[in-house]
Coordinates of all heavy atoms in Angstrom, one line a residue:
K6 N -66.3 -41.8 6.9 CA -67.5 -41.6 6.1 C -67.4 -42.5 4.8 O -66.3 -42.8 4.3 CB -67.6 -40.2 5.6 CG -67.7 -39.2 6.8 CD -68.9 -38.4 6.7 CE -69.0 -37.4 7.8 NZ -69.2 -37.9 9.1
I7 N -68.6 -42.9 4.3 CA -68.6 -43.7 3.0 C -68.6 -42.8 1.8 O -69.3 -41.7 1.8 CB -70.0 -44.4 3.0 CG1 -70.2 -45.3 4.2 CG2 -70.1 -45.2 1.7 CD1 -71.6 -45.8 4.4
T8 N -67.7 -43.1 1.0 CA -67.5 -42.2 -0.2 C -67.9 -43.0 -1.5 O -67.9 -44.2 -1.5 CB -65.9 -41.8 -0.4 OG1 -65.2 -43.0 -0.6 CG2 -65.5 -41.0 0.9
K9 N -68.1 -42.2 -2.5 CA -68.5 -42.8 -3.8 C -67.4 -43.6 -4.3 O -67.5 -44.8 -4.8 CB -68.8 -41.7 -4.8 CG -69.2 -42.3 -6.2 CD -69.6 -41.1 -7.1 CE -70.1 -41.6 -8.4 NZ -70.4 -40.6 -9.4
E10 N -66.2 -43.2 -4.1 CA -64.9 -43.9 -4.6 C -64.8 -45.3 -3.9 O -64.5 -46.3 -4.5 CB -63.7 -43.1 -4.3 CG -63.6 -41.9 -5.2 CD -64.5 -40.7 -4.6 OE1 -64.8 -40.7 -3.5 OE2 -64.8 -39.8 -5.5
A11 N -65.0 -45.3 -2.5 CA -65.0 -46.5 -1.8 C -66.1 -47.5 -2.2 O -65.8 -48.7 -2.3 CB -65.1 -46.2 -0.3
L12 N -67.2 -46.9 -2.4 CA -68.4 -47.8 -2.9 C -68.1 -48.4 -4.2 O -68.3 -49.7 -4.4 CB -69.6 -47.0 -3.0 CG -70.6 -46.8 -1.9 CD1 -71.7 -45.8 -2.2 CD2 -71.2 -48.2 -1.4
E13 N -67.7 -47.6 -5.1 CA -67.3 -48.2 -6.5 C -66.2 -49.2 -6.4 O -66.2 -50.2 -7.1 CB -67.0 -47.0 -7.5 CG -68.1 -46.0 -7.8 CD -69.2 -46.8 -8.7 OE1 -69.0 -47.9 -9.2 OE2 -70.3 -46.1 -8.8
E14 N -65.2 -48.9 -5.6 CA -64.0 -49.8 -5.6 C -64.5 -51.1 -5.0 O -64.1 -52.2 -5.4 CB -63.0 -49.1 -4.7 CG -61.7 -49.9 -4.6 CD -61.6 -51.1 -3.7 OE1 -62.1 -51.0 -2.7 OE2 -60.8 -52.0 -4.0
A15 N -65.3 -51.1 -4.0 CA -65.8 -52.3 -3.4 C -66.6 -53.2 -4.4 O -66.5 -54.4 -4.5 CB -66.6 -52.1 -2.1
Y16 N -67.5 -52.5 -5.1 CA -68.4 -53.1 -6.1 C -67.5 -53.7 -7.2 O -67.7 -54.9 -7.6 CB -69.3 -52.1 -6.7 CG -70.3 -52.6 -7.7 CD1 -71.6 -53.1 -7.1 CD2 -70.2 -52.6 -9.0 CE1 -72.6 -53.6 -7.9 CE2 -71.1 -53.2 -9.8 CZ -72.4 -53.6 -9.3 OH -73.3 -54.1 -10.1
E17 N -66.5 -53.1 -7.6 CA -65.6 -53.6 -8.7 C -64.7 -54.8 -8.2 O -64.5 -55.8 -8.9 CB -64.6 -52.5 -9.2 CG -65.4 -51.5 -10.0 CD -66.2 -52.1 -11.2 OE1 -65.6 -52.9 -11.9 OE2 -67.3 -51.6 -11.4
R18 N -64.3 -54.6 -6.9 CA -63.5 -55.7 -6.2 C -64.3 -57.0 -6.2 O -63.9 -58.1 -6.5 CB -63.0 -55.3 -4.9 CG -62.0 -56.2 -4.3 CD -61.3 -55.7 -3.0 NE -61.7 -54.4 -2.5 CZ -62.6 -54.3 -1.5 NH1 -63.0 -55.4 -0.8 NH2 -63.0 -53.1 -1.1
A19 N -65.6 -56.8 -5.8 CA -66.5 -58.0 -5.8 C -66.7 -58.6 -7.1 O -66.6 -59.9 -7.3 CB -67.9 -57.5 -5.3
H20 N -66.8 -57.8 -8.2 CA -66.9 -58.4 -9.6 C -65.6 -59.1 -10.0 O -65.7 -60.1 -10.6 CB -67.4 -57.4 -10.5 CG -68.8 -57.0 -10.4 ND1 -69.8 -57.9 -11.0 CD2 -69.6 -56.2 -9.7 CE1 -71.0 -57.5 -10.8 NE2 -70.9 -56.4 -9.9
K21 N -64.5 -58.6 -9.6 CA -63.3 -59.3 -9.9 C -63.1 -60.6 -9.2 O -62.4 -61.5 -9.7 CB -62.1 -58.4 -9.6 CG -61.9 -57.2 -10.5 CD -60.7 -56.3 -10.1 CE -60.7 -55.2 -11.1 NZ -59.6 -54.2 -10.6
L22 N -63.8 -60.8 -8.1 CA -63.9 -62.1 -7.4 C -65.0 -62.9 -7.9 O -65.3 -64.0 -7.2 CB -64.0 -61.8 -5.9 CG -62.8 -61.1 -5.2 CD1 -63.2 -60.7 -3.7 CD2 -61.6 -62.0 -5.2
N23 N -65.7 -62.5 -8.9 CA -66.8 -63.3 -9.5 C -67.9 -63.4 -8.6 O -68.6 -64.3 -8.5 CB -66.4 -64.6 -10.0 CG -65.5 -64.5 -11.2 OD1 -65.7 -63.7 -12.1 ND2 -64.4 -65.3 -11.2
L24 N -68.2 -62.3 -7.8 CA -69.3 -62.3 -6.8 C -70.4 -61.3 -7.4 O -70.1 -60.3 -7.9 CB -68.8 -61.7 -5.5 CG -67.8 -62.5 -4.7 CD1 -67.2 -61.8 -3.6 CD2 -68.4 -63.9 -4.3
N25 N -71.6 -61.8 -7.3 CA -72.8 -61.1 -7.7 C -73.2 -60.2 -6.5 O -73.6 -60.7 -5.5 CB -73.9 -62.0 -8.2 CG -75.1 -61.2 -8.7 OD1 -75.0 -60.2 -9.1 ND2 -76.2 -61.8 -8.5
V26 N -73.1 -58.9 -6.6 CA -73.4 -58.0 -5.5 C -75.0 -57.9 -5.5 O -75.5 -57.4 -6.4 CB -72.7 -56.6 -5.7 CG1 -73.2 -55.7 -4.5 CG2 -71.2 -56.8 -5.6
K27 N -75.5 -58.2 -4.4 CA -76.9 -58.1 -4.1 C -77.4 -57.0 -3.3 O -78.6 -56.6 -3.3 CB -77.5 -59.4 -3.4 CG -77.2 -60.7 -4.2 CD -78.0 -60.7 -5.5 CE -79.4 -61.0 -5.4 NZ -80.1 -61.4 -6.6
G28 N -76.4 -56.3 -2.7 CA -76.8 -55.1 -1.9 C -75.7 -54.5 -1.0 O -74.6 -55.0 -1.0
V29 N -76.1 -53.5 -0.3 CA -75.2 -52.8 0.7 C -76.0 -53.0 2.0 O -77.2 -52.7 2.1 CB -75.0 -51.3 0.3 CG1 -74.3 -50.6 1.4 CG2 -74.4 -51.2 -1.1
L30 N -75.2 -53.3 3.0 CA -75.8 -53.3 4.4 C -75.0 -52.4 5.3 O -73.7 -52.5 5.3 CB -75.7 -54.8 5.0 CG -76.4 -54.9 6.3 CD1 -77.1 -56.3 6.5 CD2 -75.4 -54.8 7.4
I31 N -75.6 -51.5 6.0 CA -75.0 -50.6 6.9 C -75.5 -50.8 8.3 O -76.7 -51.3 8.4 CB -75.1 -49.1 6.5 CG1 -76.6 -48.6 6.5 CG2 -74.5 -48.8 5.2 CD1 -76.7 -47.0 6.4
T32 N -74.7 -50.4 9.3 CA -75.4 -50.3 10.7 C -75.5 -48.8 11.0 O -74.5 -48.0 10.7 CB -74.5 -51.1 11.7 OG1 -73.2 -50.5 11.6 CG2 -74.5 -52.6 11.5
N33 N -76.6 -48.4 11.5 CA -76.7 -47.0 11.7 C -77.5 -46.8 13.1 O -78.6 -47.1 13.1 CB -77.6 -46.3 10.6 CG -77.7 -44.9 10.7 OD1 -76.7 -44.2 11.2 ND2 -78.8 -44.3 10.3
P34 N -76.8 -46.3 14.1 CA -75.4 -45.9 14.1 C -74.4 -47.1 13.9 O -74.8 -48.2 14.1 CB -75.2 -45.2 15.5 CG -76.2 -45.8 16.4 CD -77.4 -46.2 15.4
S35 N -73.2 -46.7 13.5 CA -72.2 -47.7 13.1 C -71.9 -48.6 14.4 O -71.7 -48.1 15.4 CB -71.0 -47.0 12.7 OG -69.8 -47.9 12.6
N36 N -71.8 -49.8 14.0 CA -71.2 -50.8 15.1 C -69.9 -51.3 14.4 O -70.1 -52.0 13.4 CB -72.2 -51.9 15.3 CG -71.6 -52.9 16.3 OD1 -70.6 -52.7 16.9 ND2 -72.4 -53.9 16.7
P37 N -68.8 -50.9 14.8 CA -68.4 -50.5 16.1 C -68.2 -49.0 16.5 O -67.8 -48.7 17.6 CB -67.0 -51.3 16.3 CG -66.5 -51.2 14.9 CD -67.6 -51.2 14.0
L38 N -68.3 -48.1 15.4 CA -67.8 -46.7 15.7 C -68.8 -45.9 16.4 O -68.3 -44.9 17.1 CB -67.5 -46.1 14.2 CG -66.4 -46.7 13.4 CD1 -66.4 -46.2 12.0 CD2 -65.1 -46.6 14.1
G39 N -70.1 -46.2 16.4 CA -71.1 -45.4 17.1 C -71.4 -44.0 16.3 O -72.2 -43.3 16.8
T40 N -70.9 -43.9 15.1 CA -71.3 -42.7 14.3 C -72.5 -42.9 13.6 O -72.9 -44.0 13.3 CB -70.1 -42.3 13.4 OG1 -69.9 -43.5 12.5 CG2 -68.8 -42.0 14.0
S41 N -73.2 -41.8 13.3 CA -74.4 -41.8 12.7 C -74.2 -41.6 11.2 O -73.4 -40.7 10.8 CB -75.5 -40.8 13.1 OG -75.8 -41.1 14.4
T42 N -74.9 -42.2 10.3 CA -74.8 -42.0 8.9 C -75.4 -40.6 8.5 O -76.4 -40.3 9.0 CB -75.6 -43.1 8.1 OG1 -75.2 -44.4 8.5 CG2 -75.4 -43.0 6.6
T43 N -74.6 -39.8 7.7 CA -75.1 -38.5 7.4 C -76.2 -38.6 6.3 O -76.3 -39.5 5.6 CB -73.9 -37.6 6.9 OG1 -73.4 -38.2 5.8 CG2 -72.8 -37.6 8.0
R44 N -76.9 -37.5 6.1 CA -77.8 -37.3 5.0 C -77.1 -37.5 3.6 O -77.6 -38.2 2.7 CB -78.5 -36.0 5.0 CG -79.3 -35.6 3.9 CD -80.6 -36.5 3.8 NE -81.4 -36.3 4.9 CZ -82.7 -36.3 4.8 NH1 -83.3 -36.6 3.6 NH2 -83.5 -36.1 5.9
E45 N -75.9 -36.9 3.5 CA -75.1 -37.0 2.3 C -74.8 -38.5 2.0 O -74.8 -39.0 0.9 CB -73.9 -36.2 2.4 CG -74.1 -34.7 2.4 CD -74.6 -34.1 3.8 OE1 -74.3 -34.8 4.8 OE2 -75.2 -33.1 3.8
E46 N -74.4 -39.3 3.1 CA -74.0 -40.7 2.9 C -75.3 -41.5 2.4 O -75.2 -42.3 1.6 CB -73.4 -41.3 4.1 CG -72.0 -40.8 4.5 CD -71.5 -41.3 5.8 OE1 -72.1 -40.8 6.8 OE2 -70.6 -42.1 5.8

């Protein structure tokens, strides 16, 4: 599952690499896992 902590960590890691984050891209259902994104996610 996608967590707030994982999102924030990825965003901060991008900024430390001097990358401008333009968005989030998900696959739903997940490729390769086949799981569906929950309402909470």
Side-chain angles (χ1 to χ4, degrees):
K6 301 237 181 295
I7 301 165
T8 65
K9 181 177 182 181
E10 296 77 23
L12 270 172
E13 292 290 350
E14 192 276 331
Y16 189 84
E17 291 305 316
R18 192 166 7 97
H20 281 278
K21 286 179 182 172
L22 295 169
N23 293 316
L24 297 171
N25 182 28
V26 177
K27 297 300 279 196
V29 175
L30 184 145
I31 64 169
T32 56
N33 187 32
S35 168
N36 181 0
L38 299 173
T40 55
S41 293
T42 306
T43 65
R44 171 65 67 145
E45 293 77 22
E46 288 173 292

